[in-house]
Amino acid sequence: MRSVMIVDDDMSAQKTLQDILAKYPGYQITQIAGTLKEARQILTNSSPDLLFLDLELPEGNGMELIDLMQEYHPEIYVVMFTAFYQSMGKETFRHGERDYLLKPILPDEFDKVIRRYESVQNESNSAPVIQRKGKFFGAIALTTANSERRLTKCDEIGFFRYKSDRKLWVAVLSDFTSITLRKGTTAKDILELSPIFQQSHQSFIVNLNYVNFFGSTKIRLRSPFQSYFIPMGRTFFHPFDERFRQV
């Protein structure tokens, strides 16, 4: 049985999460806290498997609790509650949380979180994404061709490809779908989203977490992107190699 803790001062959100989680066998909510103080007290004596943490709490920011857990309970899988605002821009979530869940909570989005969590727990039997030097680069806000903001996990993006016929960059995702970025988006804009992205060619920017190996002319990516041909441009090789060693 996997133990679950909820940290949220919104009782309706607590109830929604409890009702949805009740449909998943093998999970049990063992602790609920409405404040940072209560959460700290609970985590002093216990370590849940899965923690749902609200970003905004009465006494401050939920990130404060993540700092505590990173020191004493790094094994806890933290899912951050957040609401998406236009003002997020290029802000990334990479403070130690492993996943995010938007409010209001939707059952299908919750299901994706549970599936990702279980995938991580079973990663020894799969082909996991490498977390280079223990770093996890969470979620980024992509601006689509329709000028909409889309919150996307970095580890869902294998690479970006420039489509010269349309003069647009496209993000290729792990479920084999793609996101067309807003017209006018440049390679520099994409590279500023996260240090895990590095340009390999005039028309390709790669997620370093998926790089299996590379040479002077091509890159081979890990599953599920192993079937894609990613070129390596001569002028990009040395910067790429240097970044790969650093990340």
Side-chain angles (χ1 to χ4, degrees), residues 12 16-17 29-30 36 39 79 99 108 114-115 163 234:
S12 63
T16 298
L17 188 55
I29 297 176
T30 55
L36 284 174
V79 178
D99 210 331
D108 59 336
I114 292 297
R115 288 177 182 273
K163 306 191 76 171
R234 179 182 300 178

Side-chain angles (χ1 to χ4, degrees), residues 205-220:
I205 295 175
V206 178
N207 184 336
L208 294 176
N209 273 345
Y210 280 106
V211 174
N212 193 2
F213 62 84
F214 64 93
S216 59
T217 60
K218 66 178 180 180
I219 298 173
R220 180 63 60 85

Side-chain angles (χ1 to χ4, degrees), residues 165-194:
D165 58 332
R166 300 177 60 192
K167 297 183 179 180
L168 294 170
W169 281 94
V170 174
V172 179
L173 308 184
S174 56
D175 62 358
F176 304 111
T177 62
S178 62
I179 301 174
T180 300
L181 304 188
R182 180 180 57 187
K183 187 174 182 179
T185 299
T186 66
K188 182 180 178 181
D189 294 331
I190 295 171
L191 294 173
E192 288 177 349
L193 292 172
S194 171

Side-chain angles (χ1 to χ4, degrees), residues 22-144:
K23 300 176 182 179
Y24 291 81
Y27 292 85
Q28 181 179 4
I29 297 176
T30 55
Q31 298 102 0
I32 296 178
T35 66
L36 284 174
K37 182 179 179 179
E38 292 175 355
R40 290 192 187 99
Q41 291 174 341
I42 293 173
L43 291 169
T44 299
N45 301 309
S46 63
S47 177
D49 299 308
L50 183 59
L51 172 64
F52 291 91
L53 175 62
D54 189 20
L55 182 63
E56 297 182 0
L57 293 167
E59 311 133 273
N61 195 298
M63 295 297 180
E64 297 176 30
L65 192 61
I66 287 184
D67 293 337
L68 175 69
M69 287 187 294
Q70 284 291 92
E71 182 175 356
Y72 296 103
H73 300 295
E75 73 284 356
I76 298 177
Y77 191 98
V78 181
V79 178
M80 180 67 74
F81 283 138
T82 183
F84 185 71
Y85 298 101
Q86 290 291 332
S87 60
M88 277 182 62
K90 296 175 182 177
E91 180 182 0
T92 59
F93 295 96
R94 48 175 180 247
H95 299 269
E97 71 276 23
R98 302 293 299 276
D99 210 331
Y100 66 91
L101 190 60
L102 300 182
K103 287 186 175 182
I105 303 169
L106 300 177
D108 59 336
E109 292 301 317
F110 181 86
D111 186 68
K112 292 177 183 178
V113 168
I114 292 297
R115 288 177 182 273
R116 286 193 290 263
Y117 166 68
E118 293 182 345
S119 176
V120 169
Q121 301 309 303
N122 298 323
E123 64 182 359
S124 59
N125 298 320
S126 63
V129 174
I130 298 175
Q131 294 181 21
R132 299 184 60 78
K133 293 188 178 179
K135 296 181 180 180
F136 177 81
F137 300 98
I140 55 178
L142 297 178
T143 304
T144 71

